Amino acid sequence: MGRLADDLFAFENSYATELEGFYVPWQGDVAPEPKIVQFNRDLALELRLDPEQLASPAGAAFFAGSEAPDGASPLAQVYAGHQFGGFSPRLGDGRALLIGELIDRHGARRDLQLKGSGRTPFSRGGDGKAVLGPVLREYLMGEAMHALGIPTSRALAAVTTGQEVMREGPQPGAVLARVAASHLRVGTFEFFAARGETDKVRQLADYAIERHYPELAAADDRYLGLLRGVSSRQAALVAQWLSVGFVHGVMNTDNMTISGETLDYGPCAFIDEYDPMAVFSSIDHQGRYAYGNQPAIAQWNLARLAETLLPLFDAEDDDEAVRLATGEIEAFPAIYEAFWLGMMRRKLGLSRGEDGDLDLVNDLHDVMAQHSVDFTLLFRGLADRLRGEGRATQALLDAPAALDPWLARWMTRLERDPRDREASADAMDRVNPVYVPRNHKVEEALQAASDTSDLEPFERLLGALERPFERRADLEEYEGGAPEDFGPYKTYCGT
Ligand code: AMP
Ligand code: MG
C-alpha cells in the first residue's frame, strides 16, 4: 500500500491551537481492511484535494481513521447537550475525530471529521463504531440537502473497515468522512457554562465569531450579536427544512450548530403525505421533534444558547442581561415566519409579497393535512397545473374537488403578480423538487448495500438526488411516495 503524499493536505488546526481544554487529542483505531465504498470527487476538488490519491488504498486507510496524515492534529471535541429536554453535562465525540481544517476553493474554512473511527474518552457505553447502512444514509441525506440548496455538512467518503460490528445483528463496520463549516454546537457552549467556566464560554464565543460571524468582531455587544446571528441562521435553516418536508428527528442541543448548517443525520426522514405531527424516530414517543414542532424546538434550543451567553452581555445587571436575551428569543417566531413565508411564496410562484399571503399559504397546508396530500408532488404539480398540463393535482387528494376553492384563490392571486404564467411556473420548478429521499427508496438502497454489497441502487438514487429539480424520464420510480405495503416508517438514532 502506497503512502499519501506529505503535501496532500494543507491542514490548519485552529481548533487544536486556539481552544486548548476544549478537546482531547486522540487517534482512530486501526481498521483491518479499509475499503472505499463511496467517494465524493467534486467535494474533494472543492477542498483542493487530489482525488486520485484519496481514492487509493492509502486514502481508504486514512478515511478509516487508521493513519493520521502529516499536519493533522486529530482530536475528540467535548460538548454537553439537552437531549429530549433533559441535560447531559458531558457528551462529546464518542465515535468521531476532528482531523483538521481545510481552506476550500472559496476561501472557506471547513472541518474534516471522521465518524465511526473507534472509542474515545467520551464514548460512555458505546463502541465508538458506525455501520454501513447509517453511514450511507448520512452520506445520501447530506448530499440531497446540499443539492436542495440547504446548508449542511457533507460527505467526502464512506469506507468499510473490514470489521464486523454488532447491532441487532452483525453489520459491516464503516466510517463516514464528513465536512462541515465547523462542529461547534449549542452543546459546546453548554458544557462550559454548566461548569461555571465563563472565561471558556467567552473564548468559545470569540472563536465562533471569528469563524462564522466575522462582521461582529468590532460590533457593540458582540455576544448578543452572536445570539442574534445564530437565531437568524437557525430560523432560515428550519424554514428551509419545512419547505422540503424534512424532519431532522433529533434536534437535541448537541446536534444544533452555531454555523447554521444541518448536522448529525440520525433518524431524519422526509415526509410523503403532509402531516404537521409526522414523527419517524423510534424513540420520539411524545413527538417532541415532529415536523411541525421544529421551529418551536429551534427557539427552545436557542434559549439554552442564550443562557450560556448571559454573563457576556453588555448589561448593568443580571436582570438586564436576561431582558436582552429574552428579547432575542421572543423575536424568533416572527423571524422564522418571515423566512418561511418567503420560501412558500417562491414555492407558489409569487415574486412579491402581499397582505393575505400568509392566509393563502396556511389554508393550502390545512387542505393538505385534511386530505393526506403528498407534499412534494403537490408543490411540483402546481407548476404543471399553471402551464395547463394534465398531471392532475386533484388526483393527489382523497377528495379530488377539495383543492378547487384554494386553486381558484391562488390563480386570482397570481394574476396580480407581475410575472407571466410561464415565468412563474419555471421559477416554481427551480424551488420545488421532483426528487427527495423517499423513505422506501432510501431503505431499498441501504439494504442492498449492507446485505449484498450492491451499491447500484444507492448510486442511482444519489444520482437522482444530486439534481433534484430536473425531472428525468428514466427516474420516474423516485417520484412518488411509499407503496401501501411499506407500512409506517421508523428510524433509529446513533446506529
Ligand atoms: P447522536 O445521537 O449521534 O447525536 O449522539 C449522541 C452522543 O452519543 C454523542 O456524544 C455521540 O458521540 C455518542 N454516540 C453515539 N453513538 C455512539 C457509539 N456507537 N459509540 C460511542 N458514542 C456514541
Ligand atoms: Mg450528535
Side-chain angles (χ1 to χ4, degrees):
M1 185 172 71
R3 266 182 57 85
L4 296 174
D6 293 348
D7 61 354
L8 173 60
F9 298 100
F11 280 122
E12 300 208 356
N13 301 303
S14 72
Y15 201 92
T17 54
E18 294 172 36
L19 292 175
E20 218 166 294
F22 291 70
Y23 62 87
V24 179
W26 205 252
Q27 296 291 326
D29 289 353
V30 174
E33 204 184 327
K35 256 200 204 107
I36 296 183
V37 176
Q38 201 63 210
F39 175 60
N40 193 338
R41 246 188 107 78
D42 290 347
L43 183 57
L45 292 170
E46 192 176 314
L47 294 169
R48 304 190 299 181
L49 300 173
D50 172 8
E52 310 319 320
Q53 276 200 62
L54 286 173
S56 71
F62 160 66
F63 285 132
S66 304
E67 280 174 36
D70 282 355
S73 175
L75 58 88
Q77 295 176 317
V78 68
Y79 51 85
H82 277 86
Q83 300 180 304
F84 289 90
F87 188 58
S88 300
R90 191 172 182 272
L91 293 168
D93 291 331
R95 55 166 170 171
L97 294 178
L98 173 63
I99 301 303
E101 300 141 27
L102 294 163
I103 309 299
D104 73 13
R105 278 191 167 163
H106 316 289
R109 180 178 298 267
R110 318 265 296 262
D111 275 5
L112 176 57
Q113 200 206 51
L114 303 181
K115 182 169 173 181
S117 53
R119 288 179 55 82
T120 77
F122 306 114
S123 297
R124 296 171 292 156
D127 59 7
K129 306 287 184 191
V131 297
L132 186 59
V135 161
L136 288 178
R137 196 158 198 287
E138 177 157 353
Y139 194 118
L140 192 73
M141 289 294 180
E143 289 309 286
M145 294 288 268
H146 172 72
L148 289 165
I150 301 178
T152 179
S153 66
R154 294 186 64 190
L156 180 60
V159 296
T160 46
T161 58
Q163 197 176 45
E164 272 194 349
V165 173
M166 277 313 284
R167 290 295 181 254
E168 265 166 30
Q171 296 280 318
V175 176
L176 178 74
R178 76 177 178 189
V179 173
S182 82
H183 288 81
L184 295 176
R185 306 152 190 266
V186 169
T188 321
F189 286 82
E190 289 181 286
F191 179 84
F192 297 100
R195 295 154 56 105
E197 297 184 291
T198 304
D199 287 347
K200 285 237 163 95
V201 177
R202 182 178 292 109
Q203 198 185 340
L204 187 63
D206 286 337
Y207 179 87
I209 287 170
E210 192 185 334
R211 190 157 172 181
H212 298 300
Y213 301 88
E215 67 282 3
L216 293 176
D220 286 346
D221 209 349
R222 63 183 190 278
Y223 303 114
L224 190 64
L226 176 62
L227 176 61
R228 187 174 302 155
V230 178
S231 296
S232 170
R233 286 196 200 167
Q234 285 294 338
L237 180 67
V238 175
Q240 284 182 284
W241 288 357
L242 267 76
S243 80
V244 296
F246 177 75
V247 185
H248 182 284
V250 60
M251 284 179 74
N252 294 334
T253 56
D254 50 300
N255 292 334
M256 186 186 252
T257 58
I258 299 303
S259 68
E261 281 185 346
T262 313
L263 186 72
D264 279 1
Y265 293 92
C268 66
F270 281 71
I271 54 173
D272 285 341
E273 288 171 3
Y274 175 73
D275 171 12
M277 292 314 295
V279 173
F280 300 98
S281 169
S282 61
I283 58 168
D284 191 0
H285 306 296
Q286 314 289 322
R288 179 181 172 88
Y289 300 137
Y291 171 80
N293 254 0
Q294 295 179 110
I297 290 294
Q299 184 187 23
W300 192 90
N301 289 351
L302 290 162
R304 306 289 78 74
L305 176 65
E307 284 163 2
T308 73
L309 297 173
L310 286 176
L312 308 187
F313 296 156
D314 282 344
E316 292 285 312
D317 53 27
D318 292 356
D319 284 351
E320 196 197 343
V322 170
R323 244 189 338 271
L324 289 170
T326 306
E328 296 303 327
I329 300 303
E330 285 181 349
F332 181 86
I335 295 169
Y336 167 78
E337 189 179 87
F339 278 120
W340 179 76
L341 184 57
M343 311 246 17
M344 285 297 153
R345 280 200 181 102
R346 285 198 288 285
K347 286 175 80 69
L348 294 177
L350 303 172
S351 64
R352 316 195 164 157
E354 257 185 29
D355 288 350
D357 287 349
L358 185 60
D359 286 341
L360 184 74
V361 169
N362 279 332
D363 292 350
L364 173 61
H365 282 79
D366 286 346
V367 180
M368 285 194 289
Q370 280 159 23
H371 297 281
S372 318
V373 181
D374 187 281
F375 184 81
T376 305
L377 290 181
L378 180 80
F379 276 103
R380 185 72 184 194
L382 289 175
D384 295 334
R385 171 108 195 165
L386 200 55
R387 296 189 183 97
E389 286 167 17
R391 278 176 186 273
T393 37
Q394 282 102 329
L396 300 172
L397 280 73
D398 52 11
L403 193 63
D404 289 353
W406 184 89
L407 284 171
R409 277 168 65 200
W410 175 56
M411 290 292 179
T412 309
R413 171 67 184 84
L414 268 172
E415 274 158 25
R416 294 195 298 277
D417 197 90
R419 270 193 314 220
D420 67 34
R421 283 192 174 196
E422 191 54 41
S424 297
D426 290 348
M428 290 171 72
D429 280 355
R430 290 193 291 272
V431 294
N432 291 314
V434 185
Y435 309 114
V436 295
R438 298 283 188 170
N439 303 321
H440 63 297
K441 298 311 266 181
V442 173
E443 286 308 311
E444 179 186 286
L446 300 189
Q447 233 162 43
S450 289
D451 297 353
T452 60
S453 307
D454 176 9
L455 265 294
E456 205 267 338
F458 178 87
E459 287 173 357
R460 225 170 109 72
L461 175 57
L462 183 62
L465 298 172
E466 280 171 345
R467 283 146 61 199
F469 302 108
E470 191 186 315
R471 177 174 275 132
R472 282 154 282 164
D474 59 331
L475 297 177
E476 206 179 337
E477 63 178 297
Y478 298 108
E479 284 192 35
E484 285 286 308
D485 63 3
F486 185 66
Y489 187 51
K490 280 256 164 286
T491 55
Y492 301 89
C493 280
T495 42

